[in-house]
Amino acid sequence: MSISVDFIIYGLIFVGVLVLVEGLYLTVFGKSISLNSRINRRLEMLENGTRREEVMEKLRNEMGQHLKSRKIPLYSLLADKAQKAAIAFSPKQLIMIMGGLSVFSFLGLTIGTETDPAVRALASIFMGVGGVFFWINSKASKRISMIEEQLPDAVELMVRSLRVGHPFTSAIQIVAKEVADPLASEFGFISDEVAYGRDVGEALKDMAERIDMQDLRFLAVAVSIQQQSGGNLAEILAGLAKVIRARFRLFRRVKAITAEAKWSGKFLSAFPIMALIAINLGDPNYYDEVMTHELFIPACLVVGGFLLTNLVVMRILVDIKV
């Protein structure tokens, strides 16, 4: 039973790492930074008395700090995801959090398990670094999905604003007030930049590159072309909204079609591990006779390699470009 108990302790400590980093994030920056919150973070800071230029400067630092830190060793693996997730923690703070969570994991493993110190140290580093990476990756995926879903409504709102006679900068301000986060704060930041003299086309282009979303690039190009050659921007954006909605429906359809293959690959890779846990729960001494064999560790490594290969191959097969 010791093996099964160790597995449970390792899993609980990893979950504890995720809860700690999320709790620390909300404690430092407030609940409005949560993607589950309906509060517009930029408007909340303005309502709390923060000056507009201070809010703009704070958002600018948060939005650009991770791409500027790509040269930090190993942090480059996190920079792109942290940028897309708009993580307010600075790179140095994230590195310190990884170190603190690794120490927390090591203490937890020391108290709860009797494994070798070297194994505990490696596992704790994996939990500290891997937990933060998993947290950032989930934040980035959720944030990008929310922006993709919000964008067609935001473009249509700009179209209605333009058709009643508002200028494009006012249409952006309306989106920043009426649409929920995360897109509201992004457009609010653009509105502030334009108010201080920046070209709206350049601001939209920077946002598209920062978030790395093709539909936002379409929006930036459409606005830039209209600025240079003229034309009815409302009609251009109305057509763009239809294209974005069609692409969004196509993405969802592709995702639904490939869902079975994705989950099949995950299940086939997870089933041997689940079977191992179940066997140890039922008969803790089941592998005692073979664990001392010289080929046991190499065989485990080979099996682990095959499981990882299965995940990679299935991911490649269902990675359909639209």
Side-chain angles (χ1 to χ4, degrees):
M1 289 292 292
S2 60
I3 297 179
S4 60
V5 171
D6 286 351
F7 274 126
I8 295 173
I9 291 174
Y10 275 67
L12 290 176
I13 291 177
F14 185 76
V15 173
V17 166
L18 298 179
V19 173
L20 276 175
V21 68
E22 178 70 13
L24 182 63
Y25 194 57
L26 297 180
T27 301
V28 174
F29 298 103
K31 294 182 179 179
S32 62
I33 202 169
S34 172
L35 295 177
N36 297 322
S37 175
R38 295 182 179 271
I39 303 174
N40 185 320
R41 182 167 177 247
R42 171 179 167 273
L43 293 181
E44 185 188 48
M45 288 190 291
L46 290 173
E47 290 176 358
N48 289 336
T50 308
R51 292 187 303 170
R52 188 177 182 183
E53 55 268 26
E54 293 178 356
V55 173
M56 184 179 67
E57 187 64 25
K58 181 177 179 62
L59 292 177
R60 178 187 288 115
N61 291 335
E62 291 179 0
M63 291 174 179
Q65 61 185 348
H66 298 289
L67 291 183
K68 296 177 181 178
S69 303
R70 284 178 172 176
K71 296 181 180 180
I72 299 177
L74 299 180
Y75 187 80
S76 58
L77 300 174
L78 294 174
D80 289 334
K81 290 293 184 180
Q83 182 69 31
K84 293 179 182 179
I87 300 297
F89 282 134
S90 67
K92 293 182 179 179
Q93 288 173 332
L94 281 176
I95 294 174
M96 292 174 61
I97 290 172
M98 290 179 192
L101 292 176
S102 298
V103 173
F104 167 80
S105 301
F106 183 80
L107 293 176
L109 293 176
T110 302
I111 296 171
T113 66
E114 297 180 355
T115 53
D116 294 336
V119 176
R120 293 200 301 267
L122 290 175
S124 61
I125 293 174
F126 173 80
M127 288 183 181
V129 177
V132 172
F133 181 82
F134 178 83
W135 176 73
I136 291 176
N137 188 64
S138 61
K139 286 278 187 182
S141 299
K142 184 175 182 179
R143 187 170 186 269
I144 295 300
S145 297
M146 292 179 69
I147 292 177
E148 288 175 345
E149 191 171 350
Q150 291 177 315
L151 186 58
D153 294 333
V155 176
E156 289 179 351
L157 181 58
M158 286 190 286
V159 171
R160 291 194 293 270
S161 300
L162 292 171
R163 283 176 175 170
V164 298
H166 292 154
F168 185 64
T169 53
S170 297
I172 292 178
Q173 292 176 2
I174 292 173
V175 171
K177 293 179 180 179
E178 300 298 330
V179 179
D181 269 347
L183 194 60
S185 292
E186 291 285 349
F187 273 91
F189 177 69
I190 290 176
S191 175
D192 291 339
E193 284 190 315
V194 173
Y196 282 94
R198 191 178 187 189
D199 180 72
V200 64
E202 293 181 0
L204 286 170
K205 183 179 179 181
D206 282 351
M207 180 179 71
E209 295 300 326
R210 184 174 64 250
I211 301 177
D212 191 21
M213 185 181 296
Q214 192 63 33
D215 292 335
L216 284 174
R217 293 191 180 96
F218 292 156
L219 175 62
V221 170
V223 173
S224 298
I225 291 175
Q226 191 275 338
Q227 286 180 324
Q228 296 174 7
S229 59
N232 191 334
L233 183 58
E235 294 300 324
I236 295 173
L237 295 184
L240 178 61
K242 294 179 181 179
V243 172
I244 294 175
R245 285 198 182 277
R247 280 170 52 84
F248 185 71
R249 287 196 298 267
L250 183 58
F251 284 137
R252 286 293 180 91
R253 186 175 180 181
V254 170
K255 187 176 181 180
I257 293 173
T258 58
E260 181 181 359
K262 289 180 179 179
W263 282 104
S264 296
K266 293 177 181 179
F267 175 78
L268 292 174
S269 295
F271 180 77
I273 299 175
M274 292 187 295
L276 175 64
I277 295 173
I279 290 172
N280 278 282
L281 286 173
D283 185 3
N285 301 318
Y286 187 82
Y287 290 103
D288 287 352
E289 295 183 2
V290 297
M291 288 182 65
T292 57
H293 196 280
E294 59 182 6
L295 296 179
F296 180 76
I297 299 299
C300 291
L301 296 176
V302 171
V303 171
F306 277 125
L307 296 179
L308 291 176
T309 302
N310 175 61
L311 285 176
V312 172
V313 171
M314 292 302 296
R315 185 177 183 86
I316 294 173
L317 290 177
V318 300
D319 186 19
I320 301 175
K321 302 296 183 182
V322 180

